[in-house]
Amino acid sequence: MTAAAQPAPLLRMTGIVKTFPGVRALDGVSFEVNVGEVHALVGENGAGKSTLMKILAGAQPADSGEIDVDGKRVVIDGPRTAERLGIGMIYQEFNLVPDLGVIENIVLGVEPRHGIFLDKPAAAREAAKVLGELGIALPLDHSARRLSVAEQQLTEIAKCLVRKARLIVMDEPTAALTERETDALFALIRKLKAQNVAFVYISHRLEELPRIADRITVLRDGKAIETRPAAQMPQDDVIRLMVGRSLEAHFPDLPPVAPDAPIVLDVRDVSAASGVRVNDVAFQVHAGEIVGLAGLVGAGRTEIVRAIAGADVPTKGEIHVDGARVVVRSPRGAIRAGIALITEDRKAQGLVLGMTVRENTTLAHLGQFVRGLFVDKAAETQATNTEIAELRIRTPSAEQTVRNLSGGNQQKVVLAKWLIGHARVFLFDEPTRGIDIGAKAEIYALMVELLRGGAAIVMVSSELPEVLGMSHRVLVVRGGAIRAEFARGDATPDKVIAVATGMAALRQAQGRL
Amino acid sequence: MADPKGPKADVKAVMDERAGAAVAQKRRAALLRTIGLGVGFLALVLVVNALAHGNFLEPQNLTNVLRQITLNAILAVGQTFVIITAGIDLSVGSIVGLCSVVMTLVANTLNLGGPGTFVVTLLVGLAVGCAAGWVNALPVVRLGLPPFITTLAMMQVARGLALILAHGQPIPLANSAPFDWLGTGYLFSGIPGFPGISWQVLVMAVVAIVFAILLGRTAFGRYVLALGGNEEAARLAGIDTRRVKTLVYVISGGCAAIGGMLLMARFQSGNPVNGTGAELQCIAAVVVGGTSLMGGRGTIVGTFFGALLIGVLNNVMNLLAIESYTQQIVLGAVILLAVVLDELRKRYLAAR
C-alpha cells in the first residue's frame, strides 16, 4: 500500500507548526494517512507525536499549517469538528466515564433519543450492532470501572465506530495489554482495515511495528524526519532516525569521578508501590558523579526517585546518605537528610505559581530565615537575589510572580529553592523538559558546578542524548527495575533503547529458540 | 557561573534596573487601587450621610457600626485561613452557639471570683472551639474528604449539642459581673464628645491584628498560603501539610469560640441558637475582602474591610429605612459586584 496507489489520501497534514513558550513543538510537519492504512508514528518523548495528534483531534489549535480530509481543506476547531470529519482519538489514559455502563459510554454524546428522552433500546441496539460487526463480546451491563484494560480499549474503539470514524488514532495501545490481548487487538485492527478504517498508531514498542504497520513516520525534535513503508524500515534504522542528532552538541565536559570518591547516596533494595511498582532497586552514587536513569515513559524512573525523596513512601529497603541511614517517611525527612528532588512537572509539583520568586526560593528552607517569631523578608530577598544572579534567572525582581516567568526561568527558580539548602544528593527528574537550548546549557553547567562541590546527582531523562551526554553511568529502567548498567563509554543509543524497549530481551529469547 | 565576578555584576545591574521598573509598576497598580477605592468610598459616605440627614457620620453611629461587625469580623478572620487553603468552614456559626452555652454553664458552676471565673470560662470555651476545629480537620487530612462535608456535619452536631445542653432555651448567666466589662464596657468613655471604644471592638481589633501578623509575617502564614497555592509543591518542599491544614481549622474554631464569648458577655446568657447563619455571613466578608475561594491568596486586612463594607451597608440601609427584604437583595448584589470587580481588576492587571 503506497501513496501513489491512492488518488487523494484520507488525511493530509501539511506544514503544521505549533509553538509553546520556549519550545517549537512542531516545526512544519507534514503527514499523510491513506484509506485503510495503519500508519505508525514513532519518536522519542517530546518529539511532537502527541502534539500533532492533539491538533488532529481538535484538542489544540495549530499555529499554522493545513489539513485536508479526502482532498478537501478543513479547519479543525474543536473535538466535535474532528468527530464530524470521522477522526476518532483513543488516548493512552482512556476517556471513559467510570460510573456509566458500557453502552452509555459507547453512545456518550451521540445518544439516540425520543424527543427529549433517551432511547435506551436503540442505544443498546446500536452498541450491539457495532460490537457484533467486530465480533467482540463485552459485558454490556457492567460499569466502565469494572472493565479490564483491554475491555476498556475495545469500548473506546466501539465508541469511535458508533461515531462513524474512518481514522482512529491510538496512543500506545499495547502499553498495558498482555500478549494475547495484543494479538486480539491486532486482529481487530486488520479487520477494520478491510472495512477501510485507517489508523495512526503511536507506539514505543518498536518490535511490534512490522506486525501491524503499513508505513512508519519518524518524528524528531518537532520535524517529520522520514516516512517509509514498514517493510523497508528495519528497527535499527528506526532507532537511528529517532535519536539522530549529534550527542556532543551542547553538553559540557563532565569532570571525572575521583577513584577514591566516597559513596554519597546508597540505595539498598528499595521497593515502592505508588504508580508503577518499583522492585528492589539498588544502586550507589559517588561524590561528584552523575548517574543517569534511562527508560521509556512509564518505566518507573520517576517512581524510583520519588521513593528516594520520600515523595512516595518506600515499602521496603534502605537509603543511606554519606554512610548514615536515612529514614524517609516524608519529603521533610529526605530534605533534612540532604536529598533534593527536582520534580518532573515543575508547575504541578515544583512551584507555587501564584507566589513570588522570593517566596518559592525560600519555601523549602524557610526556617533559615526566621528571626524570633517572624520571617525576615530582607534576608529572604538578599538570598534570593544571590540565586537570581548566580543562576541568571531572568526576572524583573525577586517579587515577580513565578507564573509570569518562562519555562526555563521557572526551572531555575526550582533549582534555586534547592540550592539554598546545601543538599548532598540532587535527584533531577526531566530537568530540561520544555525549556530552550540556552537554559538547558545553563542547567548542565550548574550540574557540573554541583559535582565540583561534591554532590551526588541522579538524573532521569527521556532525552537519550541528554542521559548519554550528562551521565558518568547509565542505568536502564524497565518495569520498575534496573535492567542494565552501562559505563559512560559503553552507553550507546541503540544499546540503551534495546534494553529500554525490551528488544534486547526479545533478541536473546529469539537467539535461544 | 564560570566567571564569578564579571557577569554577575552585569546581571545585578540589569536586575536592579528591572526591579525598579517592576516596583514602580506595582506601586502604580496599588495607587490606582487605593485611589479608586478611596474616592468611591468617600463619595458614597458623603451621599449616604446627606441622605441620612447627617446621622451616618455621628460618632455614636460609627461606633455602633464597629460593634455590629465584631462577631462577623472575628469569624471571618478564622475563615480566611481556611479559605486560603481552598477549604471552607460551615460549622463556625454552630460553634459560636455551642461555645456560648458551654461557657455559660461553666461560669454558672464556678466560684473562683471575677478574674478566675473569666479566665477558666474563656479557656474552656477556646478548648471546645479548637477541638471542634480539630475534629473538622481530621477526616480532611487523613482521608482527603471534602471540608464542605465534614464542616457541614459539624454544623449540625455542634448546634444539636448546644440545644441539648441548654434544653433548647437560652441559659441566663447567674453572675454576669466577671463578664460585664467585655459585654457592655467602653474604654476612654470619660472624654467629652468621644463615645469611647467598646471592649468588643477592641477584642476584634486584637484578633485581627494578631492573625494578620500570623498570616503575613510568620513561617506558618507562608505555609498556609503555599499549601493553598499548590499543596503538592508545598508537601514536596518539606512542609507538614497535614499539620498546617489541621491548624487552620483549629484557628477557625478558636475564633468562633471568641465570638461565642462576646455574645455571652453582651447578652448575659448562653443562647444555643447564637450564630445561626453566621457561617455564610463571614464567608461573604472573606470573599468580598479579596480572598480566593480557589485558595492561595488572601489577607486579613482585606477580610476586615470586607466585614466593614457589609456592616456599613447594613447600617446605612437601616438609616435610610430601607425595608429588610430589600436589604437582602442589595447585600447579595454587592457581594457579587465586589467579586466581579476584583476579578476584572485582576484581569486588567494581568493583561498588561
Side-chain angles (χ1 to χ4, degrees), chain A residues 282-297:
Chain A
F283 64 95
Q284 299 173 331
V285 189
H286 297 81
E289 184 181 34
I290 301 182
V291 168
L293 296 185
L296 303 177
V297 166

PDB file of all heavy atoms in Angstrom, chain A residues 282-297:
ATOM      1  N   ALA A 282      18.531  -1.103  43.580  1.00  0.00           N
ATOM      2  CA  ALA A 282      19.738  -0.868  44.358  1.00  0.00           C
ATOM      3  C   ALA A 282      20.792  -0.222  43.480  1.00  0.00           C
ATOM      4  O   ALA A 282      21.033  -0.668  42.352  1.00  0.00           O
ATOM      5  CB  ALA A 282      20.263  -2.200  44.908  1.00  0.00           C
ATOM      6  N   PHE A 283      21.343   0.885  43.922  1.00  0.00           N
ATOM      7  CA  PHE A 283      22.478   1.486  43.215  1.00  0.00           C
ATOM      8  C   PHE A 283      23.146   2.485  44.136  1.00  0.00           C
ATOM      9  O   PHE A 283      22.606   2.830  45.191  1.00  0.00           O
ATOM     10  CB  PHE A 283      22.062   2.134  41.903  1.00  0.00           C
ATOM     11  CG  PHE A 283      21.129   3.305  42.042  1.00  0.00           C
ATOM     12  CD1 PHE A 283      21.630   4.608  42.080  1.00  0.00           C
ATOM     13  CD2 PHE A 283      19.753   3.130  42.123  1.00  0.00           C
ATOM     14  CE1 PHE A 283      20.769   5.694  42.195  1.00  0.00           C
ATOM     15  CE2 PHE A 283      18.894   4.211  42.248  1.00  0.00           C
ATOM     16  CZ  PHE A 283      19.403   5.499  42.280  1.00  0.00           C
ATOM     17  N   GLN A 284      24.356   2.900  43.736  1.00  0.00           N
ATOM     18  CA  GLN A 284      25.119   3.837  44.555  1.00  0.00           C
ATOM     19  C   GLN A 284      25.573   4.992  43.685  1.00  0.00           C
ATOM     20  O   GLN A 284      25.816   4.822  42.495  1.00  0.00           O
ATOM     21  CB  GLN A 284      26.351   3.133  45.136  1.00  0.00           C
ATOM     22  CG  GLN A 284      25.983   1.964  46.033  1.00  0.00           C
ATOM     23  CD  GLN A 284      27.199   1.183  46.463  1.00  0.00           C
ATOM     24  OE1 GLN A 284      28.197   1.131  45.753  1.00  0.00           O
ATOM     25  NE2 GLN A 284      27.121   0.587  47.638  1.00  0.00           N
ATOM     26  N   VAL A 285      25.670   6.154  44.292  1.00  0.00           N
ATOM     27  CA  VAL A 285      26.191   7.312  43.569  1.00  0.00           C
ATOM     28  C   VAL A 285      27.314   7.904  44.404  1.00  0.00           C
ATOM     29  O   VAL A 285      27.144   8.145  45.605  1.00  0.00           O
ATOM     30  CB  VAL A 285      25.098   8.373  43.322  1.00  0.00           C
ATOM     31  CG1 VAL A 285      25.627   9.445  42.386  1.00  0.00           C
ATOM     32  CG2 VAL A 285      23.839   7.738  42.763  1.00  0.00           C
ATOM     33  N   HIS A 286      28.456   8.160  43.748  1.00  0.00           N
ATOM     34  CA  HIS A 286      29.610   8.704  44.456  1.00  0.00           C
ATOM     35  C   HIS A 286      29.569  10.229  44.444  1.00  0.00           C
ATOM     36  O   HIS A 286      28.860  10.838  43.651  1.00  0.00           O
ATOM     37  CB  HIS A 286      30.903   8.246  43.786  1.00  0.00           C
ATOM     38  CG  HIS A 286      31.077   6.754  43.827  1.00  0.00           C
ATOM     39  ND1 HIS A 286      30.455   5.913  42.934  1.00  0.00           N
ATOM     40  CD2 HIS A 286      31.779   5.970  44.669  1.00  0.00           C
ATOM     41  CE1 HIS A 286      30.785   4.661  43.219  1.00  0.00           C
ATOM     42  NE2 HIS A 286      31.583   4.671  44.272  1.00  0.00           N
ATOM     43  N   ALA A 287      30.383  10.797  45.308  1.00  0.00           N
ATOM     44  CA  ALA A 287      30.537  12.250  45.287  1.00  0.00           C
ATOM     45  C   ALA A 287      31.075  12.652  43.917  1.00  0.00           C
ATOM     46  O   ALA A 287      32.006  12.041  43.396  1.00  0.00           O
ATOM     47  CB  ALA A 287      31.496  12.684  46.388  1.00  0.00           C
ATOM     48  N   GLY A 288      30.470  13.669  43.325  1.00  0.00           N
ATOM     49  CA  GLY A 288      30.942  14.153  42.033  1.00  0.00           C
ATOM     50  C   GLY A 288      30.519  13.296  40.856  1.00  0.00           C
ATOM     51  O   GLY A 288      31.091  13.395  39.785  1.00  0.00           O
ATOM     52  N   GLU A 289      29.508  12.472  41.065  1.00  0.00           N
ATOM     53  CA  GLU A 289      29.092  11.576  39.985  1.00  0.00           C
ATOM     54  C   GLU A 289      27.641  11.844  39.580  1.00  0.00           C
ATOM     55  O   GLU A 289      26.796  12.124  40.430  1.00  0.00           O
ATOM     56  CB  GLU A 289      29.214  10.123  40.445  1.00  0.00           C
ATOM     57  CG  GLU A 289      28.897   9.116  39.339  1.00  0.00           C
ATOM     58  CD  GLU A 289      28.992   7.666  39.800  1.00  0.00           C
ATOM     59  OE1 GLU A 289      28.661   7.377  40.972  1.00  0.00           O
ATOM     60  OE2 GLU A 289      29.392   6.825  38.993  1.00  0.00           O
ATOM     61  N   ILE A 290      27.390  11.722  38.278  1.00  0.00           N
ATOM     62  CA  ILE A 290      26.004  11.757  37.795  1.00  0.00           C
ATOM     63  C   ILE A 290      25.633  10.368  37.305  1.00  0.00           C
ATOM     64  O   ILE A 290      26.321   9.800  36.453  1.00  0.00           O
ATOM     65  CB  ILE A 290      25.807  12.757  36.630  1.00  0.00           C
ATOM     66  CG1 ILE A 290      26.186  14.170  37.061  1.00  0.00           C
ATOM     67  CG2 ILE A 290      24.361  12.724  36.141  1.00  0.00           C
ATOM     68  CD1 ILE A 290      25.960  15.211  35.974  1.00  0.00           C
ATOM     69  N   VAL A 291      24.561   9.839  37.851  1.00  0.00           N
ATOM     70  CA  VAL A 291      24.035   8.570  37.362  1.00  0.00           C
ATOM     71  C   VAL A 291      22.745   8.872  36.622  1.00  0.00           C
ATOM     72  O   VAL A 291      21.843   9.500  37.166  1.00  0.00           O
ATOM     73  CB  VAL A 291      23.777   7.595  38.529  1.00  0.00           C
ATOM     74  CG1 VAL A 291      22.970   6.396  38.054  1.00  0.00           C
ATOM     75  CG2 VAL A 291      25.094   7.136  39.134  1.00  0.00           C
ATOM     76  N   GLY A 292      22.693   8.457  35.368  1.00  0.00           N
ATOM     77  CA  GLY A 292      21.505   8.716  34.568  1.00  0.00           C
ATOM     78  C   GLY A 292      20.565   7.527  34.607  1.00  0.00           C
ATOM     79  O   GLY A 292      21.002   6.383  34.532  1.00  0.00           O
ATOM     80  N   LEU A 293      19.262   7.791  34.775  1.00  0.00           N
ATOM     81  CA  LEU A 293      18.267   6.729  34.690  1.00  0.00           C
ATOM     82  C   LEU A 293      17.564   6.870  33.343  1.00  0.00           C
ATOM     83  O   LEU A 293      16.840   7.832  33.105  1.00  0.00           O
ATOM     84  CB  LEU A 293      17.242   6.835  35.819  1.00  0.00           C
ATOM     85  CG  LEU A 293      17.727   6.645  37.259  1.00  0.00           C
ATOM     86  CD1 LEU A 293      16.551   6.674  38.216  1.00  0.00           C
ATOM     87  CD2 LEU A 293      18.488   5.342  37.410  1.00  0.00           C
ATOM     88  N   ALA A 294      17.813   5.902  32.442  1.00  0.00           N
ATOM     89  CA  ALA A 294      17.179   5.942  31.129  1.00  0.00           C
ATOM     90  C   ALA A 294      16.021   4.963  31.118  1.00  0.00           C
ATOM     91  O   ALA A 294      15.947   4.063  31.953  1.00  0.00           O
ATOM     92  CB  ALA A 294      18.194   5.581  30.047  1.00  0.00           C
ATOM     93  N   GLY A 295      15.125   5.152  30.171  1.00  0.00           N
ATOM     94  CA  GLY A 295      13.987   4.247  30.063  1.00  0.00           C
ATOM     95  C   GLY A 295      12.826   4.970  29.416  1.00  0.00           C
ATOM     96  O   GLY A 295      12.872   6.178  29.209  1.00  0.00           O
ATOM     97  N   LEU A 296      11.787   4.205  29.096  1.00  0.00           N
ATOM     98  CA  LEU A 296      10.631   4.812  28.453  1.00  0.00           C
ATOM     99  C   LEU A 296       9.735   5.458  29.494  1.00  0.00           C
ATOM    100  O   LEU A 296       9.859   5.175  30.688  1.00  0.00           O
ATOM    101  CB  LEU A 296       9.829   3.737  27.708  1.00  0.00           C
ATOM    102  CG  LEU A 296      10.605   2.961  26.659  1.00  0.00           C
ATOM    103  CD1 LEU A 296       9.714   1.893  26.051  1.00  0.00           C
ATOM    104  CD2 LEU A 296      11.123   3.896  25.579  1.00  0.00           C
ATOM    105  N   VAL A 297       8.835   6.300  29.009  1.00  0.00           N
ATOM    106  CA  VAL A 297       7.817   6.843  29.898  1.00  0.00           C
ATOM    107  C   VAL A 297       7.031   5.677  30.484  1.00  0.00           C
ATOM    108  O   VAL A 297       6.677   4.748  29.770  1.00  0.00           O
ATOM    109  CB  VAL A 297       6.875   7.775  29.100  1.00  0.00           C
ATOM    110  CG1 VAL A 297       5.628   8.084  29.905  1.00  0.00           C
ATOM    111  CG2 VAL A 297       7.604   9.040  28.720  1.00  0.00           C
TER     112      VAL A 297
END
